Amino acid sequence: MLIPGRQYKLAFVQSILAFTQVINAATHYRLDYPDLSLILALVRGGSLARAARLLHVDVSTVFRSVRRLEAALGQPLFEKSRAGYLPTSLAQALAEQAERAEQALEAARVGVEQGGQVVSGTVRLTCTDAVLQALLLPALARFMPAYPALTLELSTSNDFANLSRRDADIALRLTLAPPEHLVGRNLGHVVYRVCAGDAYLRSTSLRDLASMTWIAPDDFLPDHPTVAWRRQHLPGVVPAYRCNSMLSVTELVRAGLGVAALPDFLIDGNHGLTPIGEPLAGHDTALWLLTRPDCRALRSVVTLFDELGRTLRRS
């Protein structure tokens, strides 16, 4: 059984072995962690002086170390220019490996401090930009500081293909019928209401919704609940503005350009938006937290999944 910290060091060693073995076979030079640290510092700093400050050494030491390493590898790692030291493709690739090693070592330190109970790794999460801005970011700010060794990769998308293609591990989606091949939790209902910005309210009458200037999702979201409602109740309305995200629709409404049906989580506490009607009956949806069945064996994914489930649950 590996003692606390060694399992993370093992992960770091394994992360660089595959890449360095190719180079070692050709050059007979064995890269070590100080070499990677040197490359990473120069890539981040862009100059000998800044790299020296990052490494807490003098400039001449960095210069000699780079010259020695390039001679050992038999090829240049950086190109000098007026902009500083520009990394070659090899140096860039090595710097990426160095960052992974750096993260693994940090996870090892945290693991030792916390008795080996640290949650580490990278989790890929996808959601719409509206959910990211209004729901996910406040949630992450509440619990992520407790997981310093956990890395998140966030992407915004409107479809389920990310999980199906294994491009993501967790998804937050607005739907009433999540795909059956995914597992997850229903975090609660989301309702929609027609809203207007303060400036638009001052310039128009509220007597007839059909005569107002409408802002709506474009054809990228053809089955959106607000689109279905408008086609049913206001079939003659042609939106003056179309956007490919509900967050963009919200910003146009706030700017006073017209009205739109918006989800409640974008309205609550959002200054400058005023509901002008009751919730759209029969056109609500639900917020689902989803993952792939195979991800339930990953501690990092399960931890994030559980935290999001607790933090985002709606009444």
Side-chain angles (χ1 to χ4, degrees), residues 28-297:
H28 303 291
Y29 177 78
R30 192 169 188 83
L31 283 168
D32 55 21
Y33 187 68
D35 293 330
L36 293 179
S37 297
L38 171 68
I39 296 169
L40 182 59
L42 198 47
V43 169
R44 286 174 171 171
S47 71
L48 293 175
R50 285 192 288 270
R53 286 195 293 270
L54 290 173
L55 295 170
H56 304 291
V57 298
D58 56 55
V59 173
S60 61
T61 298
V62 176
F63 177 75
R64 289 194 302 271
S65 297
V66 172
R67 292 285 299 272
R68 174 191 58 78
L69 184 56
E70 289 181 329
L73 294 175
Q75 55 186 303
L77 293 171
F78 295 90
E79 297 176 0
K80 296 179 182 178
S81 73
R82 293 183 179 179
Y85 273 60
L86 301 179
T88 63
S89 58
L90 174 59
Q92 194 65 53
L94 289 172
E96 292 174 3
Q97 295 295 327
E99 285 186 329
R100 295 190 182 96
E102 185 179 68
Q103 293 168 1
L105 286 176
E106 179 60 25
R109 296 187 187 101
V110 175
V112 171
E113 293 172 1
Q114 298 183 6
Q117 300 303 311
V118 66
V119 177
S120 64
T122 299
V123 180
R124 299 164 298 172
L125 191 154
T126 179
C127 63
T128 65
D129 55 358
V131 170
L132 174 69
Q133 184 70 28
L135 298 177
L136 181 59
L137 294 184
L140 294 179
R142 291 176 60 183
F143 65 78
M144 279 302 291
Y147 302 99
L150 186 61
T151 300
L152 295 188
E153 294 181 358
L154 303 175
S155 66
T156 54
S157 170
N158 292 295
D159 58 63
F160 291 103
N162 297 64
L163 286 178
S164 301
R165 296 194 307 263
R166 299 176 180 268
D167 292 338
D169 306 309
I170 295 176
L172 281 165
R173 287 289 181 256
L174 295 172
T175 181
L176 290 175
E180 293 184 359
H181 66 278
L182 301 178
V183 294
R185 300 179 191 173
N186 185 334
L187 300 181
H189 284 285
V190 174
V191 300
Y192 295 86
R193 300 178 70 178
V194 177
C195 294
D198 295 340
Y200 187 80
L201 288 176
R202 291 192 296 267
S203 66
T204 190
S205 169
L206 297 179
R207 290 174 297 181
D208 182 15
L209 285 177
S211 65
M212 295 182 180
T213 302
W214 277 83
I215 305 164
D218 62 14
D219 293 339
F220 190 65
L221 299 169
D223 301 320
H224 197 274
T226 63
V227 175
W229 175 86
R230 192 186 73 250
R231 288 173 177 169
Q232 179 181 346
H233 294 275
L234 302 171
V237 166
V238 177
Y241 302 92
R242 296 180 183 271
C243 306
N244 66 354
S245 79
M246 289 305 297
L247 188 61
S248 298
V249 170
T250 304
E251 291 306 312
L252 267 66
V253 173
R254 193 204 314 276
L257 296 176
V259 300
L262 301 175
D264 55 11
F265 61 81
L266 287 177
I267 303 171
D268 297 341
N270 205 330
H271 300 295
L273 297 176
T274 301
I276 57 176
E278 296 299 317
L280 310 185
H283 292 276
D284 57 351
T285 187
L287 178 65
W288 278 87
L289 178 63
L290 301 164
T291 188
R292 304 192 312 271
D294 61 288
C295 286
R296 291 182 294 181

